[in-house]
Amino acid sequence: MSKVKAYGAQSETAALELLEIERRDLKRDDVKIKILYCGVCHSDIHTVRNDWKGSKYPVVPGHEIVGEVIAIGEDVKKFKKGDKVGVGCMVDSCQNCEACNKDLEQFCQNGMVGTYNGKDQILGGHTFGGYSEKIVVKEDFVLSIPENLELKAVAPLLCAGITTYSPLKHWNVKKGDRVGVIGLGGLGHMGIKLAKAMGAHVVMITTSPNKSQDAKRLGADEVLISKDKQAMETMTNSFDLLLNTIPVKHDINPYLKLLKIDATMVMVGAIEPLEPVHGGNLIMGRKRVAGSLIGGIKETQEMLDFCGKHNVVSDIELIDMPYINEAYERVINADVKYRFVIDLESLRN
């Protein structure tokens, strides 16, 4: 066991502060990583503040981790000292159930282990995330980072990137498809970039006209203002896929009308009850509402390789660790374009 510096919260009402946590000694299949950068996800805030209940304290958040391998267990084959690697939202699963056998560890039927606030299968207690100096992770849950990508801008790909890539891939987005991305934030801006890289005609759907210019800078071909009823009517029955990234309860009925026959709206943002859905909006057109949760390890590596090929990274604002509490307030107020990333060197100094 070794002690490392970290930032965490001792209760749901406490600010994040400097503390000390323990990391396990290397097992035969482990990779020890010096964390260089860690993205700030809205899920971090929900967990720190116990919005979803079940938070275990102290909470050390962070599941968008990029770092450098500093040691490996004797059985590790895929990585060597000095490699630049990533760790996303999971650090373990049973690896034996039907879901795991299909490379869908995020849906592990025995419970995947989250990078933080998960049940630590090795040490007991709960896992601690990337707001820390170092982390020890099983080789099977470590990812390779393409050499051409800027490391600090890669970090949000480990959550925001795979969260949007997975449904685009699963619903077979291809060149010429009309894809609507609802909501322009940490998820939405990645949805635009990835759908565009797949060759889709991308429409940013937002309530805010002042986001139009930025949406087009990110790659959107058009912008649809959802409060403009006439504009919404002109796009009725026109989308092959809608990627809904809105993170809070809202009315999805107006968006369902935008879907073509047999088309799907995928929910990736709101992990909470929605406004009631009118059955007619589904029946008239055989339309679907579906959900998607991150992606398995194999698909996450595929996403990173795709981003390397197309030079896709996140738009970020780099911060020092002590700024994290202020950053949380800015995330809540949607005052970031589009993802905070922590420079962990600021924790070591």
Side-chain angles (χ1 to χ4, degrees), residues 243-260:
L243 190 64
N244 189 327
T245 74
I246 298 172
V248 296
K249 179 179 181 179
H250 61 285
D251 183 6
I252 67 173
N253 290 286
Y255 303 115
L256 290 173
K257 295 175 182 179
L258 301 175
L259 291 170
K260 292 180 179 179

Side-chain angles (χ1 to χ4, degrees), residues 215-229:
K216 290 183 177 179
R217 177 187 65 80
L218 292 165
D221 297 286
E222 299 180 63
V223 176
L224 172 60
I225 306 303
S226 57
K227 290 181 178 179
D228 185 336
K229 290 184 178 180

Side-chain angles (χ1 to χ4, degrees), residues 10-63:
Q10 298 286 0
S11 75
E12 62 188 65
T13 58
L16 281 85
E17 61 184 2
L18 182 65
L19 47 80
E20 197 173 64
I21 60 173
E22 290 186 328
R23 296 297 191 191
R24 68 175 182 261
D25 293 331
L26 275 178
K27 295 173 71 69
R28 298 175 68 95
D29 60 347
D30 277 343
V31 177
K32 188 174 186 179
I33 301 163
K34 175 184 177 183
I35 300 174
L36 301 176
Y37 302 104
C38 184
V40 177
C41 177
H42 210 131
S43 298
D44 300 351
I45 302 172
H46 287 308
T47 305
V48 165
R49 299 183 178 182
N50 203 21
D51 293 337
W52 295 332
K53 308 308 176 185
S55 294
K56 304 173 183 69
Y57 295 93
V59 169
V60 175
H63 59 201

Side-chain angles (χ1 to χ4, degrees), residues 153-349:
V154 166
L157 299 181
L158 280 306
C159 178
I162 186 58
T163 295
T164 48
Y165 178 89
S166 185
L168 292 170
K169 187 68 186 299
H170 181 78
W171 275 273
N172 299 312
V173 168
K174 59 188 181 300
K175 185 175 181 179
D177 282 353
R178 283 180 61 85
V179 174
V181 179
I182 305 170
L184 182 54
L187 293 176
H189 97 286
M190 288 308 311
I192 292 174
K193 291 186 177 192
L194 290 166
K196 187 67 177 177
M198 292 176 181
H201 180 93
V202 183
V203 180
M204 180 71 237
I205 304 172
T206 177
T207 59
S208 306
N210 61 1
K211 292 185 178 180
S212 297
Q213 185 175 349
D214 218 33
K216 290 183 177 179
R217 177 187 65 80
L218 292 165
D221 297 286
E222 299 180 63
V223 176
L224 172 60
I225 306 303
S226 57
K227 290 181 178 179
D228 185 336
K229 290 184 178 180
Q230 185 175 353
M232 291 283 283
E233 286 176 6
T234 64
M235 292 201 183
T236 298
N237 303 323
S238 68
F239 287 93
D240 297 287
L241 184 77
L242 292 175
L243 190 64
N244 189 327
T245 74
I246 298 172
V248 296
K249 179 179 181 179
H250 61 285
D251 183 6
I252 67 173
N253 290 286
Y255 303 115
L256 290 173
K257 295 175 182 179
L258 301 175
L259 291 170
K260 292 180 179 179
I261 294 170
D262 284 329
T264 303
M265 175 163 63
V266 187
M267 310 298 298
V268 296
I271 307 178
E272 56 186 281
L274 299 169
E275 298 287 353
V277 177
H278 193 294
N281 289 329
L282 299 173
I283 292 168
M284 302 303 291
R286 205 159 56 191
K287 299 172 182 180
R288 296 179 292 264
V289 178
S292 183
L293 174 70
I294 53 172
I297 296 300
K298 181 179 179 181
E299 187 174 52
T300 304
Q301 187 63 61
E302 177 187 298
M303 177 274 303
L304 288 168
D305 295 341
F306 177 89
C307 289
K309 180 179 178 180
H310 295 275
N311 199 30
V312 174
V313 290
S314 191
D315 281 26
I316 70 159
E317 181 178 331
L318 192 65
I319 62 170
D320 288 341
M321 190 73 258
Y323 186 75
I324 190 64
N325 292 296
E326 188 170 345
Y328 273 20
E329 296 307 314
R330 287 181 55 192
V331 170
I332 291 167
N333 293 320
D335 180 27
V336 56
K337 290 185 177 179
Y338 280 94
R339 207 73 162 187
F340 285 117
V341 172
I342 306 162
D343 181 351
L344 268 305
E345 197 60 37
S346 64
L347 183 59
R348 282 182 278 271
N349 292 337

